[in-house]
Amino acid sequence: MRVLTVIGNRPQFVKAAAVSRRLQEVADEILVHTGQHYDDEMSAVFFSELGVPRPSLELELGTGSNTEQTARMLTALAPVIGEHRPDVVLVYGDTNSTLAGGLAAAQAGVPVAHVEAGMRSFDRAMPEELNRVLTDHLSSLLLCSSDVPAEHLAREHVVGDVEIVGDVMVDVALLVQPRAREDDAPLRDAGVQAGEYVLVTAHRAGNVDDPERLRRLVDLLLALPCPVVLPLHPRTGARLDAQGWLDDLLAAEHVRLTPPLGYLAFTALLTRARAMLTDSGGVQKEAYLAGVPCVTLRDTTEWTETVDAGWNVLVDLDRDAALAALDRVVPEHRPMLYGDGRAGERVVEALVRRFG
Ligand code: UD1
Ligand code: UDP
């Protein structure tokens, strides 16, 4: 079986860490990196820390609007798929690299397998929602993290086969979190004590591209009553810089700005945080697994089970709601969601069964 896998940004490197090594034991995998994320701290560090095999091909297609990025990736991927004639193209998640990989494959008549299929925020203003919906409807094999996304797919009458395999990010988090919990160096580097700080990530276009919303985000962070560790995503850094608001955060004594962190340092900080504040998708799950209360800086989420379980609250950019959410008491019970840490194995098994 020949699998051509398309990855391109930070969460996809984490997801591929659960699949690629195992897949390469039983199949010929051509790992293509679109270059959507390209800084070492957004890309290379995940390959070295998590043992993701080196990409067979790096397309260096980062930057540009969603439309430009997707178009350039399509143009570059078509001949690569034509040259290798894989049995299947494997894509993860909901980014421009996901849609470009899926669409280029479908147009070449190659079946698509989509990991993390069926996730929905039902907010079509998010570029990720368009990418998810379109990729799902292009796919022959739709591999879901839990039964909620599988139900979405059934309601949408997708043509491909749907299978629940668990969540591949959970595989990686369950492996890394126990040792990250013992690693105090990242807390020392940030100058924080376990249980006393909040860890924050924010990068959604909907939160940082509109100056009015970006200002609300800054004001929310300035109002937090405890130390804040903020590893800055490049999109957010660029938007803050353009508005001259990076200085507001740099001047705040309780805010510790850092560059984007590697997975190990980030996970060390996550496991000991008082709470996680984020608009990331992956981080909501990881906070849940670590038993860290999550406050999500959005008004919708795809990871609804974490909200239903009482461990995640959606506050959008409402400062008072965020402050109230920080003080809430989380339930004692934290049911196992999104699988048992063996999703990567099931992804490989499903690919072999279908395309092997
Ligand atoms: C993308 C995904 C988003 C995902 C996120 C993960 C889409 C539509 N968005 O958003 O779903 O949650 O990745 O982090 O695919 N940049 C750098 N260095 C890098 C990468 C980016 O400086 O290594 C800068 C570039 O100026 C770029 C901007 O950040 O224009 C945004 O990057 P881009 O990949 O377009 O979108 P993200 O916001 O990262
Ligand atoms: N992450 C990281 N360092 C950081 C911020 C995030 O290693 O400074 C990891 C995080 O643990 C998770 C992934 O990056 O595994 C999430 O990526 P991101 O939030 O960029 O994307 P999303 O999940 O929102 O698409």
Side-chain angles (χ1 to χ4, degrees):
M1 174 176 67
R2 176 174 288 179
V3 182
L4 189 145
T5 303
V6 179
I7 54 177
N9 42 16
R10 179 162 71 183
Q12 289 164 348
F13 310 140
V14 178
K15 292 166 198 178
V19 175
S20 268
R21 259 175 311 162
R22 196 168 278 118
L23 183 60
Q24 293 189 7
E25 287 167 13
V26 297
D28 173 17
E29 186 191 39
I30 299 138
L31 190 60
V32 180
H33 185 331
T34 63
Q36 185 173 345
H37 285 175
Y38 48 88
D39 293 337
D40 283 354
E41 63 250 27
M42 295 295 288
S43 176
V45 66
F46 296 91
F47 288 81
S48 56
E49 286 189 350
L50 299 177
V52 183
R54 280 175 69 85
S56 325
L57 188 62
E58 301 199 33
L59 298 175
E60 299 179 6
L61 298 172
T63 76
S65 69
N66 292 322
T67 310
E68 286 163 353
Q69 246 180 34
T70 310
R72 267 190 283 124
M73 288 177 194
L74 275 172
T75 307
L77 284 167
V80 176
I81 294 171
E83 180 194 336
H84 291 283
R85 297 308 307 168
D87 298 301
V88 55
V89 167
L90 175 65
V91 295
Y92 296 92
D94 55 18
T95 73
N96 294 336
S97 299
T98 314
L99 176 61
L103 187 52
Q107 283 172 337
V110 174
V112 178
H114 184 203
V115 171
E116 228 180 66
M119 302 310 301
R120 296 290 181 268
S121 65
F122 300 101
D123 176 2
R124 290 279 173 112
M126 291 178 75
E128 292 84 359
E129 183 76 354
L130 302 178
N131 291 340
R132 288 178 198 123
V133 172
L134 293 169
T135 306
D136 283 338
H137 285 266
L138 294 166
S139 295
S140 301
L141 183 60
L142 298 104
L143 301 170
C144 297
S145 298
S146 69
D147 51 4
V148 171
E151 285 157 19
H152 295 152
L153 294 173
R155 244 175 274 134
E156 291 179 23
H157 303 291
V158 292
V159 294
D161 296 332
V162 176
E163 215 175 298
I164 299 169
V165 291
D167 190 278
V168 291
M169 262 182 149
V170 168
D171 295 15
V172 183
L174 289 179
L175 268 184
V176 173
Q177 284 186 359
R179 68 186 144 101
R181 209 178 273 286
E182 306 299 317
D183 181 8
D184 292 332
L187 280 71
R188 268 199 309 275
D189 291 348
V192 290
Q193 305 282 336
E196 292 181 359
Y197 62 93
V198 293
L199 181 61
V200 180
T201 75
H203 69 270
R204 287 287 155 198
N207 278 343
V208 304
D209 284 4
D210 169 11
E212 191 255 329
R213 286 190 53 87
L214 181 62
R215 186 65 229 182
R216 283 175 66 192
L217 173 65
V218 172
D219 289 340
L220 189 158
L221 298 179
L222 293 177
L224 292 173
C226 58
V228 171
V229 182
L230 174 60
L232 211 50
H233 187 287
R235 176 189 287 273
T236 311
R239 301 297 181 267
L240 286 169
D241 205 24
Q243 296 298 326
W245 294 338
L246 208 45
D247 291 341
D248 295 14
L249 293 172
L250 286 167
E253 217 168 283
H254 69 296
V255 179
R256 321 281 148 85
L257 281 177
T258 77
L261 296 171
Y263 189 81
L264 302 181
F266 184 79
T267 305
L269 283 160
L270 170 64
T271 53
R272 258 74 58 75
R274 165 182 166 186
M276 183 74 225
L277 254 74
T278 191
D279 62 11
S280 160
V283 172
Q284 293 173 58
K285 274 180 284 189
E286 291 168 349
Y288 182 82
L289 288 171
V292 171
C294 188
V295 180
T296 294
L297 304 169
R298 293 174 44 190
D299 60 1
T300 60
T301 182
E302 309 75 69
W303 305 101
T304 48
E305 294 97 329
T306 59
V307 175
D308 296 342
W311 281 80
N312 187 8
V313 179
L314 305 179
V315 300
D316 196 15
L317 295 176
D318 183 324
R319 186 186 56 189
D320 295 338
L323 293 175
L326 275 185
D327 286 334
R328 82 192 194 281
V329 179
V330 285
E332 269 174 37
H333 188 49
R334 194 159 45 86
M336 183 100 137
L337 304 174
Y338 310 125
D340 54 3
R342 296 179 52 200
E345 271 171 54
R346 293 195 196 92
V347 168
V348 173
E349 281 164 18
L351 289 170
V352 170
R353 224 181 303 122
R354 178 69 192 268
F355 304 104

